[in-house]
Amino acid sequence: MLLAVSAVSGCTIDLGLIVDVTRSIKKENIVTVKARLAKLVQQFGVSEDGTHVSLETFDSKSTIHNYFKETDHHNEEAVLRLIDHAIDKLSKPTRLDLALKKADEEMFTRANGDRAGVENVMVLFTDGRSHPSQTETDVYKTYVENMKKRGVRVFVFGIGPDSRKEKHQEVLRLIGGDAVFLAQDYGNIDEAIKNFMDLMCPCKNSEGMDLALVVDKTASIGRENFLLLKGFILELVQGLPIGPDQTHTGIILFAREPTLLNTFADIRYHSSEALYNLVDRIDSRLGTRTFIDKALNAANTSLFTTKGGDRPYFPNMLILLTDGRTNRASEPYANIIPSLKAKNVKIIAVGIGDYRKFRGQLEEIAGDFVFNVQGFSEISTLYNGIMSEICGKYDILS
């Protein structure tokens, strides 16, 4: 029987555990597998209002043993009992594709208890093998990207020597990106768990901020990529301490003209759930031409003002997300940025695509605080870097 211990992180998430139970794990390792899964669960405060856990195991088929909505598993002891009973017999082959499909279609859904505004985290434990007929990259990519479009953060624990083979690592990286943790065996996974926990809830100690999200919504992005971008914004929103006396977030979408969705002063969006739902409702209709200057001006005049709800004792942050340069008819940034800087707005610029398109322009906007990825499927790799910039060094000003 696995024994409960106190949580240490103070981090509330919806945690989906996807566990490989094929014969390559080996029967003698079952006790160790259970113990390490229990140790991971014990890092979080499992409760009705705290972390919820859903467990899925897979071999030749995939089985979800409980859903987030099941209240009888909203306590740590019940989850540990479930792990103890669910992981028993090992089989074959390894149908990782079915495991990801079920996580996408059943686990991380509102109908089965996935909570809006609560950080969604999927953790896959596997030795890296997958059934030969199911290793086509598009099979895994579809399910993973579907989850990312809903704001699910995806992590992979690769356990054992097979996970270090290049052919298996290719699949693991496709699923987890740079969030792949390798361990020689389940008995040596403690360091990987520690590294994973270091990435959880990076803003949990933040006392709040006024944060503007300025989001490119032009046709050059494309519908599917925009859904991935929206999913990343959902990730950010779920990771922020949203509340009346904590973080307030205002959102501006832009193409030819900016669209202000809400201001800092709008009390309807002073909760994580309400803000999540606001982002989730953004449609995927895209505009033409990119006028970043107008969007930054809108942030300056509609958000970072007393009327817009800007609070003098909270840090001011702005995150710009774009896939291209501003239109040549745009107003020079030199006419806009100084006003934001005068209000102590820290600007972070995120460019998605070939960096040569952005070189110089994003630095003019954000100085040293520029992030870049080659494609929208990689944008979630920026999560912790961005969160550490907006949460790690700032508290309420005195």
Side-chain angles (χ1 to χ4, degrees):
M1 176 65 187
L2 301 174
L3 299 177
V5 299
S6 298
V8 296
S9 72
C11 179
T12 297
I13 65 174
D14 283 340
L15 174 63
L17 299 176
I18 319 296
V19 185
D20 186 341
V21 289
T22 52
R23 289 180 184 174
S24 56
I25 301 298
K26 297 181 181 179
K27 187 175 182 179
E28 59 266 28
N29 290 325
I30 290 179
V31 172
T32 306
V33 170
K34 293 179 181 181
R36 292 306 180 267
L37 289 173
K39 180 170 184 175
L40 178 61
V41 168
Q42 290 165 340
Q43 306 302 304
F44 301 93
V46 180
S47 68
E48 185 66 34
D49 297 322
T51 290
H52 295 174
V53 178
S54 178
L55 175 66
E56 176 186 353
T57 58
F58 68 96
D59 43 38
S60 61
K61 61 185 182 301
S62 175
T63 302
I64 295 182
H65 299 273
N66 73 305
Y67 294 105
F68 295 125
K69 67 179 180 181
E70 296 177 15
T71 58
D72 55 341
H73 288 102
H74 290 172
N75 67 85
E76 186 177 285
E77 185 177 356
V79 173
L80 298 187
R81 277 200 308 269
L82 182 66
I83 292 171
D84 202 25
H85 294 154
I87 301 174
D88 184 19
K89 297 179 180 179
L90 304 179
S91 185
K92 65 177 185 179
T94 307
R95 290 299 301 270
L96 180 53
D97 60 314
L98 298 182
L100 293 173
K101 183 177 189 291
K102 186 155 285 193
D104 170 30
E105 296 179 354
E106 296 185 35
M107 180 180 283
F108 288 99
T109 65
R110 294 287 170 266
N112 287 324
D114 182 29
R115 294 170 290 178
V118 174
E119 192 167 347
N120 294 314
V121 178
M122 189 205 90
V123 184
L124 168 67
F125 291 86
T126 181
D127 68 352
R129 297 184 183 183
S130 55
H131 194 269
S133 65
Q134 299 298 331
T135 55
E136 295 180 7
T137 58
D138 58 343
V139 173
Y140 301 105
K141 186 176 180 181
T142 297
Y143 301 131
V144 171
E145 290 193 350
N146 283 345
M147 286 187 279
K148 287 186 175 182
K149 289 171 184 176
R150 301 197 298 274
V152 179
R153 299 180 68 197
V154 179
F155 298 85
V156 175
F157 283 74
I159 315 298
D162 283 335
S163 66
R164 297 178 183 273
K165 295 178 180 178
E166 182 56 36
K167 64 179 180 179
H168 298 317
Q169 282 210 10
E170 181 181 349
V171 173
L172 299 184
R173 287 194 297 267
L174 178 70
I175 298 168
D178 65 346
V180 176
F181 305 95
L182 299 178
Q184 187 61 35
D185 52 51
Y186 273 95
N188 290 284
I189 199 176
D190 290 358
E191 184 65 24
I193 290 177
K194 179 183 180 301
N195 292 337
F196 166 77
M197 289 304 302
D198 287 343
L199 300 179
M200 289 294 97
C201 301
C203 287
K204 65 180 181 291
N205 295 322
S206 170
E207 296 186 59
M209 69 195 79
D210 289 332
L211 171 65
L213 294 172
V214 181
V215 184
D216 192 336
K217 201 169 185 276
T218 50
S220 59
I221 292 175
R223 181 182 182 276
E224 290 303 308
N225 283 336
F226 183 75
L227 292 175
L228 286 169
L229 178 59
K230 190 171 84 168
F232 181 64
I233 297 167
L234 291 173
E235 285 187 52
L236 295 176
V237 165
Q238 291 176 142
L240 291 168
I242 307 294
D245 299 315
Q246 295 178 292
T247 294
H248 294 176
T249 301
I251 300 173
I252 295 172
L253 309 174
F254 70 92
R256 184 192 296 265
E257 298 293 337
T259 299
L260 178 68
L261 293 190
N262 68 305
T263 68
F264 301 140
D266 194 336
I267 61 174
R268 293 176 298 170
Y269 303 108
H270 289 175
S271 75
S272 296
E273 181 178 3
L275 188 61
Y276 179 99
N277 288 332
L278 175 65
V279 176
D280 196 38
R281 289 194 300 268
I282 296 173
D283 63 55
S284 56
R285 290 175 295 177
L286 305 175
T288 58
R289 300 190 183 180
T290 305
F291 281 89
I292 297 173
D293 60 319
K294 294 180 182 179
L296 294 175
N297 262 325
N300 184 40
T301 59
S302 298
L303 290 179
F304 294 106
T305 62
T306 301
K307 183 179 180 181
D310 187 25
R311 297 170 294 176
Y313 299 110
F314 283 79
N316 289 332
M317 305 286 175
L318 184 153
I319 300 176
L320 167 70
L321 301 112
T322 182
D323 79 328
R325 301 177 69 86
T326 196
N327 190 276
R328 285 179 290 181
S330 297
E331 183 179 356
Y333 293 131
N335 296 346
I336 304 166
I337 301 302
S339 182
L340 288 166
K341 293 296 185 183
K343 297 175 181 179
N344 293 315
V345 179
K346 179 176 180 178
I347 304 174
I348 294 171
V350 179
I352 305 101
D354 188 345
Y355 183 69
R356 289 173 293 184
K357 293 193 301 181
F358 310 106
R359 185 169 293 147
Q361 184 172 117
L362 295 187
E363 284 81 0
E364 188 178 356
I365 296 170
D368 294 332
F369 302 110
V370 173
F371 293 83
N372 174 245
V373 287
Q374 288 296 307
F376 285 86
S377 62
E378 303 167 20
I379 192 170
S380 59
T381 64
L382 302 179
Y383 178 88
N384 276 87
I386 291 173
M387 291 301 240
S388 67
E389 287 295 343
I390 64 174
C391 298
K393 302 173 184 178
Y394 292 86
D395 294 309
I396 295 177
L397 300 177
S398 57

